[in-house]
Amino acid sequence: MELSYLIYQLIIGLSYSMLLFLISSGLTIIFGLLNIPNFAHGTLYMLGAYFTYFFLHSLPGASFVVAIILAVIAVGVIGAFLEYVPLRKIYERSHALQLLMTFSFILMLDDATKYFAGTDFLSIATPKLMAGSFTLPGDREMPVYSLFIILCGLVVAYLLWLGLYKTRLGKLVQAGTANKEMLSALGINVPRLFTLVFVLGAVLAGLAGGLAGPLKAVSVGMGETIIITIFAIVIVGGVGSLKGAFIASILVGELNTFGVVFFPSFAMAFTYILVILVLLTKPEGLFRIK
Amino acid sequence: MAKKKITRRAFVKVVGSGALVAGAATFGVPTLLRASSKPIKFGQLNTTSGIMASQGVPGMRGAQIAQEIINQAGGIMGRKLELVQEDDQVKPSVGVRKFRKLVLEDKVDFVFGTNSSGVGLACVPLANEFKKIFISTSMSDKYTGSNCSPYVFRIGESTSMASKASAYCMVANEPGIKKWAGINPDYVFGHESWDFFKKGMKEKKHPVEIVKESYSPFGSQDYKPYITALLESKAEGVFTSLWTGDLINFIKQAKPFGFFDKVKAFVNNTTSFATAIGLGDQMVPFWGEARYYPFYRDTEINRKYISMYRKKFDGYPGADVGAECFATVMALKLAIEKAGTTDTPKVIAALEGLEFEVPEGKKWIRPEDHSGIDEVVLLGKFHRDSKYPFWVYDPKTYFTVPGKEIAMPLDQTGCKMAKP
Amino acid sequence: MSLLEVRTVSKSFGKLQAVSELELSIDEGEVRCIIGANGAGKTTLFNLISGRIQPDSGQVVFAGEEISGMRPPQIVRKGLSRSFQVSNYFPNLSVFQNVRIAVLSRMRKSRIFYWPVSRLRDVNQRVGELLENFNLLSLAEVTADKLSHGDRRKLEISLVVAQEPRMLLLDEPTAGMNSTETESTIRLIKDLVTRLGLTLLLTEHDMKVVFSLADKITFMHYGQVVCEGPPEEIKANQDVKEIYLGGEVC
Amino acid sequence: MPSKPQTLQNPIIWFLVSLVILWAAPLFLPTFYVYLITEILIVSLFAVSTNVLLGFTGLLSFGQVAFFGSSAYAVSLLIKGTSLPFAASFFISVGLSALAALIIGLFCMRLRAFYFAILTLAFSQIFFVVAYKWTSLTGGDDGIVGIPKKPFFLFDINGPDAYYHFVLLVVMVSLALLYLIIRSPLGEVLQAIRDNSERTEFLGLQVRNYRLASFVIAGTFGGVAGALFAPFQGIVTPELLHWSHSAEPLMISLLGGMYFFFGPIAGAVIFVFIKEWITGFTEYWMFWYGLLLMLLIMYLPGGIMGFISEHIRRGKDGPK
């Protein structure tokens, strides 16, 4: 197999990786600081897609970008509600109970979506500017939108890195992820910080949902089809580690791409094999937050 | 084995007969019969929650429309038709539990439905155990093959029919294409579809070079590696049995690669018309094969089905399963009337060889294996039509195969049915 | 003959040198007390000896056998048990059950899965004795996390004693106890040592406790041993006085 | 508890009384409920076995379906593919799940908390993929259809009542064994590990070995439940091995009260009935079901048994 084809696949895989990173970054931050394994994270991603569709079609003249921004806000509001009302009650409980709680969110949000939007598939058009592709040597096409997703992933990664490492708030989140007691010792309003971080995570999921719109059938249940992959990424990367989520997203995305090229019949098992291999060698993920 | 003749007389006008029965129920029927005005109960299993709700919900709706038509016309032999609908959650274990509930608790007379063969096949042993008729609305050939039973029917197209019809259509319309590739879902249906497509090509003695065979897991998020691999194989024609969300995801991700320009023919054997509705103006030109295509037959029953569906549910009746469930309810009604009773063995006998017309067209149930056989199976190539907010088949490309021609020959079904 | 020997053991956490090239030797039957300010490395030393953490360099030898590198359960099986500074018990189990875990382990009956634990007469009898010794019998049925602070400390020590070790490491056994509780605990420990001939290594802030128990005192500062000797000697040591909170020691 | 009087709460008496009542149940109940209770019994056993890990060892495993499902597949293949008597197939299948639990357990024991959960999930998903893809053996997603209920030793277990009685006996014996294990020294050590694994180590107990034992026990009895389930349904499909099916016994244990041996049983009864009822009355059952779950977690975090025992305790303390 020629080198240019491999590089081509590498870039194709990267666009999937970056989409995965957009979703998993939010989950890993929430899981790291709040210590809540939010099973409904995929559902927030779904809501991002639905809201984008809704704003795109209900506001006359709304552009894709405007629709996504509005959708992200809407998902953020829902995230704030989920954190503020039910989740706050169970911070001290076991992971199992927290999982069950967030599972109940999935049930409710899925059915509410079904009630308002129906069960038919919806489809978000690729914005005209990005609908085309570049033709590469060898008569290969590189879709503009795939490159756009890569760009979005890198920009979000950079902004999160800035936010987490260069601002006071980010440093608090870092400190809190490593050591919960430290936050209250520093006199921080912990509940407010938690709400803020949960909303940030929800916003990232919503953004990913909106950006995934042009690549996917928007449908109820699209969150459940991706959530295990996202959890796998967070765990492989190390809970709470942004760098870990970034690297693990690339691993999963590229593994999926090259796996399909070289070992297509194992496609269903790729992610799980990766999880097993990583956890057996690094029981706390690639990048452990101390 | 003697083939059963289809006589013109035997095609029953569903609506007309309904009206007749309604009249009979009110005036002509002896009091003895009228006294048993207990409703006739049909139990239905389909998926109304989760990712497969896009299939199951229209299935429920299709049956509800049939029920409304029947009851407005006076019911079945003067008895009201009652539907008991249950969500199978696409889980065979739930399907089994709900089947038992329908039979034992709700005391339904007949059971039908399912939009996944996993659930449907799980119901087969129960139908045998409870000696209840079960009519499947999912596509597996096994209902009328290795798992066939006196109590089990499948009145819609099967996987083999849909796949072979796709092959025939390609041989007829794209005879120049020799290099074929497949992208199919990585489960039984996908593998069978691809095998039957190749078989269909062989039957037509079409020289085929298979340049790529790929299978993607159900619910794949990223089809780009499959797409680039297909393009790299330089296939001229691509067959797929992806369906529902998977098909939409594939199409949306393939489009920017110029896939539908580079590949001369793309043919799909399970194009629920809901796909076209879902994609709207982002649709691409490809060959579709649907069990139900709303705009082909301008028959009274089809018009009625579409108009009632649109009025009741605000949307087009795109999904196959909707029409399939509608057809099933109608077939059962006719069989009950033909048998004059809801007694299972007699209704089985009445269903065997039944000919009827539904929105999907005219159908006949082959007695030997209980397989429904359409008068014709239709394919067409999607194009933009300003009359509709979505793409439809280009009428110039309509391609039909007589159902009997592609029905699995009786000696190949593997069905050994012991009559009850 | 020395029972426990710590040979040039060092441990650092990042830039912090918690214990550096520490040497310690404790004879069989001796009661040794380690004193020093907070952060002197006492608890780290305990963790190193008991296998909770591994030394960066050096060795820990117990009864002639190297135990550094072993996991805690193995070390316990050799006869070296420890208590914790912050009470460390089983919060959702009753006091009785808490002690029973230790007794089951000691009597090698923890693997029995085919017989109710409530029917193991010898085990339950032993638990009863221990609770009686520690004045906890009236609280036997109370869930451990409902105990008062002093009772938790008693439970903590009873868990260690229940293992009948050759050597006992007690990390501030009387921390947070009131004076009567402290007195009775000291009496208990003294009694145990004399009755069972135990070797005892403990850290303690309360100098009354230290001087009434210790045969020998080791004074630690910044992860190193500053001086070592019988109580009177330490009492008189000028360094200790200076470093350790001025004259408060005596 | 050691010092409590055992007369009123002798578990053997309770065991016999409930066995007799349940044995007679088909005399009074319509067939559908016989099926439903059969299912509840099997689900209860699966949940109680899972709860040995969750509630009594403090391990959140998402992989318990691997043992339930592999046993269900094994028993189906043995029944359909060999002439072995059912009893032999049954015990071989259970043995296989125990072996699978031992092997997977050895790999997973190093991991803590959620990492453990995800690793067990990954392993069980490998089982799922195998069942899904090895079509020639397992029938792929269509599964193995038509598993007959062959006689168990000399007992004919065909028919709903007969199979119910068979399930009842096996489940009651299994529950009795599990109860014994939980009340045994081993069970007490497991609870100690749940409460404080580090302290358990400092009492001279190799936590990893006990956790592994717990994992094998849970896997074995999960396997018993699976081997009962396959002939009951007459079909096995990969659904039984999917991770989402692992969530069910966890949910049942939490709802019922995971710190109580009988919690999962209470959970199973309520869970199956609520779900049956709620899915029957509305297409939007998921919403109402989700809302109910959320409220239960918010207001009864200790589960049903936790709530009841709290009230009993309050009732006792009240007059003082």
Side-chain angles (χ1 to χ4, degrees):
Chain A
M1 211 162 282
E2 44 183 323
L3 186 66
S4 65
Y5 181 63
L6 294 181
I7 294 173
Y8 176 61
Q9 289 291 1
L10 198 73
I11 299 173
I12 299 273
L14 199 59
S15 77
Y16 181 45
S17 302
M18 287 302 108
L19 189 63
L20 291 174
F21 171 69
L22 285 173
I23 316 175
S24 53
S25 57
L27 183 61
T28 205
I29 294 173
I30 292 177
F31 200 173
L33 182 71
L34 281 67
N35 199 18
I36 295 244
N38 180 18
F39 217 60
H41 198 72
T43 309
L44 296 171
Y45 155 82
M46 172 195 81
L47 288 178
Y50 265 103
F51 276 119
T52 305
Y53 180 90
F54 171 74
F55 288 121
L56 207 53
H57 289 260
S58 63
L59 298 182
S63 71
F64 183 63
V65 176
V66 172
I68 284 193
I69 291 171
L70 291 173
V72 159
I73 293 170
V75 175
V77 169
I78 290 176
F81 175 80
L82 292 179
E83 195 282 336
Y84 201 76
V85 180
L87 276 184
R88 196 161 275 205
K89 285 216 161 208
I90 55 160
Y91 278 134
E92 300 307 317
R93 300 278 171 184
S94 66
H95 275 156
L97 204 72
Q98 294 167 346
L99 266 183
L100 187 57
M101 168 80 90
T102 55
F103 175 70
S104 77
F105 298 165
I106 297 182
L107 294 174
M108 286 185 284
L109 291 173
D110 265 8
D111 247 14
T113 310
K114 187 170 97 178
Y115 180 79
F116 288 111
T119 53
D120 292 339
F121 291 108
L122 306 176
S123 177
I124 297 169
T126 313
K128 280 216 173 58
L129 262 173
M130 289 179 273
S133 65
F134 299 112
T135 307
L136 304 175
D139 197 26
R140 295 188 180 116
E141 306 288 334
M142 179 59 70
V144 177
Y145 195 75
S146 293
L147 297 176
F148 174 67
I149 294 274
I150 295 177
L151 184 71
C152 288
L154 294 176
V155 167
V156 167
Y158 179 68
L159 290 178
L160 283 176
W161 178 80
L162 272 187
L164 279 180
Y165 291 88
K166 301 289 161 195
T167 65
R168 190 183 116 80
L169 190 70
K171 283 176 184 161
L172 283 179
V173 172
Q174 293 271 312
T177 302
N179 184 354
K180 301 275 164 318
E181 286 81 43
M182 191 179 310
L183 286 179
S184 23
L186 289 171
I188 305 298
N189 184 344
V190 177
R192 205 172 58 196
L193 181 67
F194 277 20
T195 311
L196 208 65
V197 166
F198 194 86
V199 169
L200 173 69
V203 157
L204 286 167
L207 174 68
L211 287 173
L215 298 170
K216 299 271 164 72
V218 179
S219 68
V220 172
M222 71 190 272
E224 286 98 290
T225 56
I226 202 161
I227 187 67
I228 291 298
T229 310
I230 298 303
F231 261 104
I233 288 171
V234 169
I235 291 292
V236 164
V239 170
S241 164
L242 196 64
K243 188 165 66 174
F246 190 76
I247 303 284
S249 296
I250 291 178
L251 278 178
V252 170
E254 296 294 357
L255 181 67
N256 220 55
T257 302
F258 285 96
V260 167
V261 174
F262 293 109
F263 316 98
S265 49
F266 296 104
M268 274 177 87
F270 289 154
T271 312
Y272 307 112
I273 292 171
L274 180 74
V275 167
I276 291 170
L277 290 180
V278 169
L279 289 187
L280 288 186
T281 46
K282 294 215 152 204
E284 302 202 311
L286 295 174
F287 299 94
R288 184 188 163 199
I289 297 274
K290 278 180 228 97
Chain B
M1 239 179 264
K3 271 195 180 172
K4 184 153 173 124
K5 276 189 208 153
I6 303 182
T7 56
R8 198 172 287 266
R9 178 200 57 79
F11 282 122
V12 186
K13 285 274 178 203
V14 173
V15 184
S17 72
L20 257 177
V21 172
T26 1
F27 307 110
V29 186
T31 38
L32 190 74
L33 255 178
R34 225 191 307 160
S36 75
S37 57
K38 212 175 65 176
I40 297 178
K41 283 187 176 179
F42 291 3
Q44 182 180 6
L45 294 171
N46 273 106
T47 311
T48 56
S49 58
I51 195 107
M52 276 297 173
S54 61
Q55 299 296 307
V57 168
M60 298 296 191
R61 291 171 172 178
Q64 285 163 14
I65 291 173
Q67 177 198 27
E68 196 176 321
I69 291 176
I70 289 170
N71 281 340
Q72 273 173 3
I76 303 171
M77 298 191 308
R79 291 167 65 182
K80 259 200 144 28
L81 167 60
E82 194 182 314
L83 274 181
V84 187
Q85 303 184 315
E86 290 282 356
D87 180 7
D88 65 29
Q89 302 166 35
V90 238
K91 290 181 182 160
S93 63
V94 176
V96 165
R97 188 195 308 147
K98 293 295 185 187
F99 193 108
R100 289 193 184 117
K101 176 188 169 271
L102 289 172
V103 172
L104 296 170
E105 269 299 279
D106 301 316
K107 308 256 186 298
V108 301
D109 300 284
F110 308 96
V111 185
F112 71 96
T114 72
N115 37 274
S116 113
S117 58
V119 181
L121 290 170
C123 294
V124 170
L126 295 175
N128 297 336
E129 184 184 333
F130 294 124
K131 304 204 184 323
K132 285 280 173 199
I133 292 175
F134 169 64
I135 303 184
S136 158
T137 54
S138 53
M139 289 176 78
S140 174
D141 282 278
K142 288 182 184 159
Y143 297 112
T144 55
S146 54
N147 291 63
C148 82
S149 133
Y151 300 101
V152 176
F153 292 80
R154 189 207 63 247
I155 63 167
E157 267 166 38
S158 69
T159 311
S160 69
M161 295 178 193
S163 313
K164 278 158 79 175
S166 307
Y168 290 7
C169 172
M170 288 300 102
V171 172
N173 283 285
E174 304 280 359
I177 297 182
K178 303 279 186 284
K179 285 184 174 175
W180 278 92
I183 165 78
N184 293 287
D186 197 2
Y187 44 89
V188 175
F189 169 71
H191 286 261
E192 285 182 353
S193 291
W194 177 234
D195 291 344
F196 280 117
F197 178 77
K198 288 186 289 187
K199 204 171 168 201
M201 286 288 187
K202 213 182 230 168
E203 280 173 6
K204 289 286 170 190
K205 304 213 167 32
H206 186 72
V208 173
E209 186 198 338
I210 303 297
V211 293
K212 181 88 193 165
E213 296 186 309
S214 47
Y215 297 99
S216 59
F218 174 73
S220 287
Q221 300 296 314
D222 189 35
Y223 283 97
K224 293 196 283 301
Y226 298 97
I227 293 160
T228 51
L230 284 170
L231 289 174
E232 210 71 12
S233 76
K234 305 288 177 211
E236 300 162 303
V238 173
F239 168 82
T240 184
S241 54
L242 292 171
W243 60 306
T244 68
D246 286 351
L247 179 60
I248 297 182
N249 290 353
F250 182 88
I251 291 174
K252 294 190 76 165
Q253 293 176 27
K255 202 176 163 188
F257 284 91
F259 186 88
F260 299 98
D261 304 321
K262 293 184 173 178
V263 170
K264 285 192 203 128
F266 183 71
V267 61
N268 172 238
N269 73 340
T270 41
T271 320
S272 172
F273 194 68
T275 310
I277 296 175
L279 278 166
D281 59 357
Q282 299 147 49
M283 187 66 173
V284 292
F286 71 91
W287 289 90
E289 198 282 351
R291 282 184 281 171
Y292 171 60
Y293 174 70
F295 311 112
Y296 176 59
R297 296 170 187 87
D298 192 22
T299 57
E300 192 188 337
I301 184 81
N302 191 27
R303 282 197 301 270
K304 181 148 191 162
Y305 175 63
I306 295 175
S307 71
M308 282 184 73
Y309 194 103
R310 291 193 63 181
K311 205 163 75 194
K312 247 179 114 104
F313 303 113
D314 185 34
Y316 271 92
D320 289 332
V321 186
E324 199 90 325
C325 291
F326 181 93
T328 303
V329 173
M330 287 301 178
L332 271 173
K333 167 194 184 279
L334 293 171
I336 294 164
E337 283 168 353
K338 192 168 138 195
T341 169
T342 55
D343 187 35
T344 301
K346 289 185 179 136
V347 177
I348 291 175
L351 278 168
E352 291 176 342
L354 186 75
E355 288 151 9
F356 55 104
E357 187 182 347
V358 283
E360 288 171 90
K362 291 172 183 171
K363 281 176 184 284
W364 167 60
I365 299 175
R366 188 159 68 178
E368 290 85 354
D369 63 348
H370 291 181
S371 169
I373 293 174
D374 291 85
E375 189 184 36
V376 291
V377 172
L378 172 79
L379 281 97
K381 194 171 187 181
F382 281 102
H383 78 153
R384 196 188 304 273
D385 186 330
S386 53
K387 272 192 291 181
Y388 303 99
F390 39 74
W391 287 33
V392 293
Y393 292 167
D394 181 353
K396 290 198 289 292
T397 63
Y398 282 161
F399 175 83
T400 56
V401 192
K404 283 191 172 175
E405 196 185 307
I406 49 164
M408 193 169 293
L410 280 170
D411 53 347
Q412 287 175 22
T413 58
C415 166
K416 290 181 212 77
M417 203 183 294
K419 294 281 166 187
Chain C
M1 206 208 104
S2 63
L3 181 64
L4 180 82
E5 267 185 71
V6 176
R7 296 177 187 161
T8 56
V9 162
S10 298
K11 179 74 188 177
S12 58
F13 301 103
K15 282 176 195 156
L16 178 78
Q17 186 76 30
V19 168
S20 74
E21 307 207 331
L22 190 128
E23 298 266 357
L24 192 68
S25 167
I26 294 159
D27 289 343
E28 177 113 48
E30 180 185 334
V31 174
R32 174 73 64 91
C33 201
I34 297 181
I35 58 172
N38 279 329
K42 293 171 299 193
T43 298
T44 305
L45 177 63
F46 266 40
N47 289 345
L48 286 166
I49 296 172
S50 62
R52 199 184 200 186
I53 54 177
Q54 301 300 332
D56 298 335
S57 63
Q59 289 171 311
V60 181
V61 176
F62 179 70
E65 192 177 354
E66 181 174 350
I67 57 167
S68 42
M70 286 185 183
R71 305 262 313 127
Q74 290 169 285
I75 295 173
V76 171
R77 287 271 180 249
K78 303 278 172 220
L80 179 68
S81 293
R82 71 167 290 185
S83 76
F84 291 83
Q85 194 175 347
V86 177
S87 299
N88 201 347
Y89 50 90
F90 308 108
N92 294 311
L93 300 185
S94 70
V95 171
F96 195 92
Q97 286 174 311
N98 264 273
V99 178
R100 192 158 62 189
I101 298 292
V103 172
L104 283 169
S105 170
R106 172 65 201 161
M107 296 175 95
R108 297 283 200 278
K109 295 206 166 167
S110 56
R111 285 168 192 238
I112 295 173
F113 62 89
Y114 44 79
W115 198 249
V117 65
S118 57
R119 298 290 172 88
L120 294 175
R121 193 165 299 159
D122 47 351
V123 172
N124 292 314
Q125 204 175 335
R126 174 81 186 117
V127 176
E129 284 166 23
L130 280 160
L131 290 181
E132 195 154 20
N133 282 347
F134 281 88
N135 266 332
L136 286 168
L137 201 52
S138 59
L139 299 169
E141 294 304 315
V142 176
T143 316
D145 64 353
K146 301 244 156 53
L147 291 181
S148 70
H149 181 81
D151 289 333
R152 284 183 198 178
R153 294 307 301 167
K154 281 200 267 179
L155 177 60
E156 175 73 46
I157 299 163
S158 71
L159 286 179
V160 189
V161 172
Q163 298 172 76
E164 301 168 22
R166 271 177 90 179
M167 178 167 176
L168 214 58
L169 306 181
L170 298 180
D171 200 356
E172 298 200 18
T174 64
M177 283 187 178
N178 63 32
S179 56
T180 30
E181 282 170 339
T182 305
E183 251 166 61
S184 74
T185 306
I186 292 171
R187 216 177 311 129
L188 201 72
I189 294 172
K190 260 187 181 163
D191 178 54
L192 281 168
V193 172
T194 48
R195 201 153 48 88
L196 301 172
L198 287 178
T199 308
L200 182 63
L201 176 65
L202 74 160
T203 64
E204 189 53 70
H205 269 137
D206 188 335
M207 285 305 133
K208 253 193 247 137
V209 177
V210 173
F211 292 121
S212 70
L213 277 176
D215 299 329
K216 221 171 168 189
I217 293 172
T218 299
F219 178 68
M220 265 181 87
H221 191 58
Y222 286 124
Q224 282 172 318
V225 174
V226 175
C227 61
E228 200 171 88
E232 296 70 33
E233 205 176 290
I234 295 293
K235 227 184 238 180
N237 188 304
Q238 204 50 43
D239 287 349
V240 177
K241 276 184 187 164
E242 261 169 38
I243 301 169
Y244 203 43
L245 302 169
E248 204 200 284
V249 177
C250 323
Chain D
M1 312 283 129
S3 56
K4 272 184 195 164
Q6 299 266 322
T7 41
L8 255 175
Q9 32 187 200
N10 190 335
I12 296 170
I13 291 173
W14 281 107
F15 177 81
L16 292 175
V17 167
S18 46
L19 185 61
V20 168
I21 293 173
L22 284 168
W23 190 271
L27 294 175
F28 317 106
L29 289 176
T31 316
F32 174 65
Y33 287 93
V34 176
Y35 280 115
L36 212 57
I37 300 177
T38 311
E39 191 165 348
I40 290 175
L41 285 169
I42 297 171
V43 171
S44 296
L45 178 57
F46 187 29
V48 171
S49 75
T50 304
N51 197 42
V52 169
L53 287 175
L54 178 71
F56 289 99
T57 318
L59 288 174
L60 175 60
S61 164
F62 258 107
Q64 292 315 102
V65 274
F67 317 118
F68 180 94
S70 58
S71 163
Y73 265 96
V75 85
S76 312
L77 289 169
L78 289 169
I79 290 174
K80 288 202 80 170
T82 68
S83 54
L84 283 176
F86 177 53
S89 312
F90 186 89
F91 289 116
I92 290 172
S93 307
V94 172
L96 285 175
S97 353
L99 187 67
L102 179 67
I103 294 168
I104 294 181
L106 279 171
F107 283 115
C108 297
M109 281 309 132
R110 283 175 70 199
L111 273 68
R112 290 187 308 118
F114 213 73
Y115 293 91
F116 174 82
I118 293 290
L119 187 59
T120 51
L121 181 142
F123 273 114
S124 80
Q125 280 297 93
I126 298 290
F127 279 65
F128 170 75
V129 172
V130 169
Y132 202 89
K133 298 241 352 169
W134 195 354
T135 311
S136 59
L137 183 74
T138 62
D141 55 309
D142 283 350
I144 302 169
V145 183
I147 302 150
K149 301 183 179 89
K150 287 190 189 168
F152 191 80
F153 291 112
L154 291 175
F155 302 104
D156 179 23
I157 52 171
N158 208 356
D161 289 2
Y163 199 74
Y164 166 77
H165 285 138
F166 169 64
V167 169
L168 178 64
L169 273 185
V170 174
V171 169
M172 290 299 275
V173 169
S174 303
L175 288 178
L177 290 175
L178 283 167
Y179 186 79
L180 182 61
I181 290 172
I182 291 302
R183 295 282 167 260
S184 74
L186 180 80
E188 194 147 284
V189 171
L190 293 182
Q191 293 170 62
I193 290 171
R194 170 199 69 199
D195 272 15
N196 189 340
S197 64
E198 186 186 41
R199 187 56 170 152
T200 318
E201 292 234 301
F202 280 102
L203 294 183
L205 300 166
Q206 287 277 7
V207 166
R208 206 183 284 182
N209 295 350
Y210 289 89
R211 278 189 174 148
L212 184 60
S214 170
F215 200 72
V216 173
I217 291 165
T220 308
F221 285 95
V224 172
L228 290 173
F229 194 67
F232 170 65
Q233 291 287 71
I235 175 168
V236 288
T237 60
E239 172 217 349
L240 297 185
L241 282 161
H242 195 250
W243 64 265
S244 59
H245 191 223
S246 269
E248 205 162 276
L250 295 172
M251 187 191 296
I252 288 172
S253 303
L254 288 164
L255 288 183
M258 66 172 181
Y259 292 133
F260 301 85
F261 182 83
F262 294 101
I265 300 174
V269 172
I270 288 169
F271 175 84
V272 172
F273 273 107
I274 286 186
K275 209 163 176 189
E276 196 56 43
W277 168 71
I278 221 166
T279 54
F281 91 83
T282 167
E283 191 192 305
Y284 294 96
W285 65 269
M286 276 179 25
F287 180 84
W288 299 107
Y289 186 60
L291 187 67
L292 188 71
L293 274 184
M294 188 179 86
L295 293 176
L296 278 176
I297 298 164
M298 282 169 79
Y299 297 106
L300 305 181
I304 295 153
M305 293 292 279
F307 178 74
I308 293 172
S309 86
E310 187 107 314
H311 269 249
I312 291 173
R313 206 180 304 153
R314 257 187 232 160
K316 268 186 193 163
D317 295 350
K320 276 183 194 172

